[in-house]
Amino acid sequence: MAVKASCAIGVPNVGSFGDPSLLVTLAVAAEEHGWDGFFVWDHQLYWDPEWAVADPVVVISAVAARTARVRLGIMVNVLARRRVGKVARESVTLDRLSRGRLVFGAGLGSRAEEFTAFGEPGDPRERAARLDESLELLAALWTGEPVSFHGEHLTATDVTMLPRPVQRPRIPVWCGGRWPNRAPFWRAARWDGVMPTHAGYGLGETMPPEDLRTVLGYTQEHRAAAGPFDVALEGQTDGTAPDRGARHVIPYAEAGLTWWIEALGWWRGTPVDALARITQGPPVLPGA
């Protein structure tokens, strides 16, 4: 039985993975060894002030210039702390630079300190409201048509931003969320994909397939638009197995997964260990 799922690499932008040259090297290796995508976290601060942090937009721009095939993006972009006009310019530029390979991930972010340290509100409800307005305005700006927008937090007056993205009808937007919090999944249902995590599982752990099925059932209940809808999940596989971990991925694909993201970071070892897993190649899925 054929299993339809793409396989990507996901890496932090902090700590031992905070070196931008390293991240580009990992992305190039991912393309060379048959992975379908390369995604990087979005942090500008982390819990240890001694840790290095790489800017994810700069990293993904370099990845776009050094690769030709892999999908790429920031998973997930903490959009509520960014200026939407700047993000619109960055994302269209990246989409054109990569010839239509960009995925736009969006979420609240996991650390309120990244807001409050710079005098911005860290309350999750306000961040959520800013995120929703930001996505609405961003999608309007991507059309290349004149935009006037007056929300509670954001304003744009008779703005036209050209060129448009390569991708139509827009750059795909995947929204992150932590189950069982329902609100992020209402949000994801309005866009093009979802990247769920689960409050019951920590860093380096993945919810079981039956929980993913529950999350997707809830999301699909709130989905009004037709068309493709991607489901991305982070986890880890054994690259030394004959199928490189496909047996682990298949139940998730049967539950609705479309993107398996191999999560690589300090909790699995060093950057050298991450490169070794990348060079082993993605899970060998039946019919892929």
Side-chain angles (χ1 to χ4, degrees):
M1 180 182 69
V3 175
K4 294 183 179 180
S6 300
C7 295
I9 294 296
V11 291
N13 66 319
V14 301
S16 55
F17 289 80
D19 176 354
S21 296
L22 164 70
L23 296 176
V24 175
T25 296
L26 296 179
V28 171
E31 177 158 286
E32 290 175 346
H33 289 87
W35 297 85
D36 302 305
F38 183 85
F39 302 117
V40 64
W41 291 7
D42 180 16
H43 284 290
Q44 59 180 355
L45 302 174
Y46 209 59
W47 65 269
D48 188 339
E50 299 297 320
W51 276 21
V53 179
D55 183 88
V57 176
V58 175
V59 168
I60 289 298
S61 299
V63 170
R66 290 285 305 279
T67 59
R69 180 184 57 80
V70 289
R71 296 287 273 178
L72 48 90
I74 299 169
M75 292 292 156
V76 293
N77 194 313
V78 186
L79 188 55
R81 61 170 163 76
R82 299 183 181 274
R83 297 285 186 178
V84 178
K86 181 72 163 66
V87 174
R89 286 292 189 207
E90 289 171 346
S91 53
V92 171
T93 300
L94 267 167
D95 196 52
R96 297 181 74 86
L97 178 65
S98 66
R99 296 179 177 85
R101 293 184 284 133
L102 180 65
V103 176
F104 192 91
L108 290 189
S110 60
R111 298 186 61 81
E113 295 87 349
E114 293 187 293
F115 291 79
T116 58
F118 296 100
E120 299 175 14
D123 177 72
R125 289 169 296 184
E126 182 165 346
R127 286 154 56 193
R130 291 184 67 90
L131 172 57
D132 286 328
E133 286 190 15
S134 295
L135 284 171
E136 185 178 350
L137 177 54
L138 183 63
L141 293 171
W142 282 344
T143 67
E145 301 296 329
V147 174
S148 289
F149 182 94
H150 300 282
E152 181 183 355
H153 301 282
L154 303 177
T155 298
T157 304
D158 195 23
V159 176
T160 300
M161 300 189 79
L162 293 170
R164 299 177 179 87
V166 171
Q167 297 182 82
R168 296 287 190 274
R170 61 171 174 247
I171 299 167
V173 175
W174 297 356
C175 295
R178 185 174 296 275
W179 188 263
N181 183 4
R182 267 48 173 182
F185 300 93
W186 303 338
R187 178 180 302 112
R190 301 197 298 270
W191 297 96
D192 311 299
V194 65
M195 184 176 171
T197 57
H198 196 298
Y201 302 90
L203 187 63
E205 299 177 323
T206 304
M207 72 180 80
E210 55 268 25
D211 283 354
L212 178 63
R213 200 181 299 273
T214 299
V215 170
L216 298 187
Y218 181 86
T219 305
Q220 292 292 354
E221 285 177 10
H222 292 84
R223 185 158 170 78
F229 188 76
D230 277 303
V231 180
L233 190 70
E234 287 188 316
Q236 56 188 59
T237 56
D238 180 4
T240 66
D243 65 358
R244 299 198 291 268
R247 182 177 298 181
H248 180 66
V249 177
I250 287 170
Y252 290 100
E254 292 173 343
L257 179 82
T258 64
W259 278 87
W260 175 262
I261 301 180
E262 188 76 17
L264 298 171
W266 65 88
W267 61 93
R268 291 185 69 174
T270 68
V272 172
D273 297 321
L275 181 60
R277 177 64 192 94
I278 290 170
T279 57
Q280 289 166 338
V284 184
L285 297 172

